[in-house]
Every structure is written in structure tokens, then in C-alpha cells.
Amino acid sequence: MQRYFQLCFFLYARLWPLNAVFSLQALFFASTAEYILSAVMLAPIIKLGGYLGSLAIHYLFSSRTYPFYRNLGYSMRHLFAGSFFIDTAIFLLLFLIVLICRP
């Protein structure tokens, strides 16, 4: 199980730059939105769009890495799910901090 989390972090490191841009955009929207409800509703949609975009880019341009993960005995779906949960946990933590610290 520890190896699974290490591989999820390794995969997430490749997806991180684009995910960080969408996370910062969603957090900025949450901090500047006039109504909290609109921030709560739209920020996860922005974040999900960014994650789907990074997955599409990963599927298009890095087909050479799949045999590496396959030889380790893990499917790409499980690793993408793990990286999604890592990204979601980080985003929710930052989102809650932004909502609490909001004036």
C-alpha cells in the first residue's frame, strides 16, 4: 500500500503544474466572490475541469509511461484515482482556509 501512494505522488507530480493553475484560479474566485454560495458551487467545477484537462493532456502525450506502471502491477485508472484524491484533499484544505479567512 505504501508503494501505491508513492506511485500516486509520482504521477501527481507530473499533473501538478496544470492542476495548480486551476486550483489557484478557483481559490482566487472563492476569495473574491460576493456570495459564498456561488464560490462553493463554482470552485469545484473549475477544479474538476482543470483535472480533466490535465488527464487529457497526459493521455495524449505520455503513452510511453504506461508500460512502466503496468510492469509495477498497477493500473492507470487506480493511479489516476489516487492522484485525484490527493489533489482533491489538498484543494479542499486550501478552499476551507480561504473560506474561513475571508473578510
Side-chain angles (χ1 to χ4, degrees):
M1 189 60 108
Q2 181 181 1
R3 191 177 202 187
Y4 173 72
F5 289 121
Q6 288 174 347
L7 290 173
C8 286
F9 275 116
F10 181 68
L11 180 67
Y12 180 68
R14 293 176 167 219
L15 301 175
W16 184 79
L18 186 61
N19 287 334
V21 168
F22 279 92
S23 291
L24 291 175
Q25 181 183 12
L27 292 174
F28 178 75
F29 174 72
S31 67
T32 59
E34 187 173 336
Y35 300 107
I36 294 176
L37 184 60
S38 64
V40 171
M41 290 174 59
L42 291 178
I45 294 171
I46 293 170
K47 183 64 188 150
L48 183 64
Y51 194 76
L52 291 175
S54 65
L55 284 179
I57 289 172
H58 185 75
Y59 272 119
L60 287 174
F61 294 113
S62 64
S63 61
R64 294 175 292 173
T65 59
Y66 295 144
F68 171 74
Y69 294 111
R70 235 182 275 144
N71 289 339
L72 291 174
Y74 295 102
S75 71
M76 289 305 292
R77 287 183 185 171
H78 289 115
L79 291 174
F80 279 131
S83 67
F84 174 74
F85 287 123
I86 291 168
D87 187 51
T88 303
I90 293 169
F91 175 70
L92 287 177
L93 180 69
L94 292 174
F95 189 70
L96 287 175
I97 290 171
V98 165
L99 287 181
I100 289 171
C101 296
R102 201 179 151 181

